[in-house]
Amino acid sequence: MNKVYKVFPGGKFKVLTFSYDDGKIEDRRLVKLFNKFNLKATFNLNTGIIDPAIRIPQEEWPELYKGHDIAVHTFTHPTMIRLNNYNALREILDDKDNLEKIFKRPIYGLAYPNGSYDNRIIDIAKSVGIKYARVTNDKYAATKAAEAYAANAEGPILIGDENGFSMPEDYMCWVPTCHHNHNLIDFGKKFMALTKKQYLYMMYVWGHSYEFGRDNNWEIMENFCEMVGHRDDIWYATNIEYVNYMEAAKRLVYAYDLSFVYNPSAMSVWICVNNDNYIEVKGGTQADLSMYL
């Protein structure tokens, strides 16, 4: 019987994505850096906060962020769990509506302002078409906290994902790999060194562009982008590109004996058959796999 794995576009097994919040003027420099190295990011914007001294004017957004994705960061950046249902709904939906008018495309993502969310906020977000939402903690911070606890506890402690590059378990509380101040270069080196193609790996970096100026450490992101950019073994994707692709991969329909596969989606999906045969299954087509039986 065939062994069929889903893979990323082009047969890749690693994906790199970024998520940056608030739309402050330092985004101009960050976008330019991402574009230089062919990297993709999601920018999370508040349409209800207007401050030309520190935030990029909204009329500049469509051109500046071209080639990247945009997500909701709520209308006024409140602590969401403190709001009643009506206010929480308006914060998400008003921002989503404004962003869709500005960018003239559907907006599916959310980054929780101040990292504040619970099951009630998740349900509200999903009810208005949000497909994914990023939190503000990350795997690096969680691992360090667990290690600190383990050092003072008896018995084994389960740290969790040992490398920080696993796929998200729940899109509505999507945990990044690291903030750019959390060992970014070391994570990048480990990510590039991954070679076991029987797995899929994700590196997800988040932060705020104004932090680079505040911390005087733009060189961290500059060095990282130069190190990981323009590689043929990494898929560079926005958050929604990843979500949409994985949803399409789930919709593939296989024959019981794996002699063919049908792709009912509009977008192409790539698979790997028996470890070394990479096949693009184009949208609306059926691929013959019988030759690999």
Side-chain angles (χ1 to χ4, degrees):
M1 179 181 290
N2 287 340
K3 180 168 63 179
V4 181
Y5 287 142
K6 60 187 174 186
V7 291
F8 296 136
K12 298 176 175 66
F13 64 100
K14 294 186 284 191
V15 59
L16 173 64
T17 192
F18 297 84
S19 180
Y20 274 79
D21 299 351
D22 295 349
K24 294 192 176 180
I25 57 176
E26 292 84 358
D27 273 8
R28 296 188 182 110
R29 180 171 175 178
L30 186 59
V31 170
K32 185 176 181 180
L33 183 61
F34 287 156
N35 291 345
K36 178 180 178 180
F37 293 101
N38 196 35
L39 305 175
K40 296 286 194 73
T42 296
F43 291 90
N44 312 293
L45 305 175
N46 311 103
T47 55
I49 304 178
I50 309 297
D51 189 346
I54 62 172
R55 291 178 183 262
I56 297 170
Q58 293 180 9
E59 57 267 25
E60 188 181 332
W61 288 358
E63 183 62 28
L64 174 66
Y65 297 115
K66 186 180 297 184
H68 300 278
D69 194 41
I70 301 301
V72 170
H73 201 36
T74 70
F75 190 65
T76 63
H77 205 286
T79 301
M80 294 294 284
I81 61 173
R82 299 185 64 186
L83 301 181
N84 61 43
N85 288 354
Y86 175 76
N87 288 149
L89 176 65
R90 287 293 301 271
E91 282 287 343
I92 296 171
L93 194 53
D94 286 358
D95 199 41
K96 185 176 189 292
D97 181 49
N98 290 336
L99 290 173
E100 289 179 341
K101 287 182 170 66
I102 292 169
F103 289 94
K104 303 186 187 309
R105 66 175 187 263
I107 302 295
Y108 295 109
L110 166 68
Y112 298 112
N114 304 318
S116 174
Y117 73 100
D118 55 18
N119 287 336
R120 178 176 62 96
I121 300 302
I122 289 174
D123 289 342
I124 291 171
K126 290 170 69 174
S127 75
V128 295
I130 297 297
K131 287 186 175 183
Y132 73 85
R134 196 214 73 222
V135 303
T136 55
N137 62 309
D138 57 53
K139 296 174 184 177
Y140 171 87
T143 298
K144 288 300 179 184
E147 288 173 346
Y149 179 81
N152 295 289
E154 295 182 1
I157 300 296
L158 180 62
I159 300 296
D161 176 24
E162 64 181 2
N163 56 39
F165 304 126
S166 60
M167 301 298 102
E169 295 181 1
D170 184 344
Y171 290 142
M172 293 305 295
C173 48
W174 195 343
V175 181
T177 304
C178 66
H179 183 280
H180 62 246
N181 283 336
H182 291 168
N183 283 17
L184 179 63
I185 299 300
D186 287 344
F187 269 112
K189 290 178 180 178
K190 292 176 182 177
F191 185 65
M192 290 190 301
L194 296 169
T195 58
K196 293 182 178 179
K197 294 185 178 181
Q198 63 265 45
Y199 301 105
L200 293 178
Y201 301 97
M202 168 182 287
M203 184 169 181
Y204 188 144
V205 182
W206 80 282
H208 309 82
S209 62
Y210 70 80
E211 294 171 312
F212 295 113
R214 182 196 68 188
D215 300 334
N216 192 29
N217 64 354
W218 273 102
E219 72 279 358
I220 289 178
M221 183 56 78
E222 291 167 348
N223 292 339
F224 178 78
C225 291
E226 183 175 10
M227 179 176 68
V228 302
H230 297 297
R231 293 176 60 91
D232 59 11
D233 63 336
I234 297 174
W235 177 36
Y236 305 109
T238 65
N239 292 181
I240 193 59
E241 284 175 338
Y242 169 82
V243 171
N244 286 341
Y245 182 83
M246 297 304 281
E247 286 182 344
K250 286 183 179 180
R251 288 193 289 267
L252 291 179
V253 182
Y254 292 91
Y256 175 74
D257 63 357
L258 298 181
S259 61
F260 64 82
V261 58
Y262 172 65
N263 180 6
S265 302
M267 67 189 305
S268 290
V269 176
W270 288 73
I271 59 175
C272 177
V273 182
N274 298 335
N275 298 323
D276 55 5
N277 301 290
Y278 295 93
I279 300 169
E280 178 185 8
V281 187
K282 293 183 178 180
T285 68
Q286 183 167 299
D288 182 12
L289 306 181
S290 62
M291 66 192 75
Y292 305 109
L293 292 176

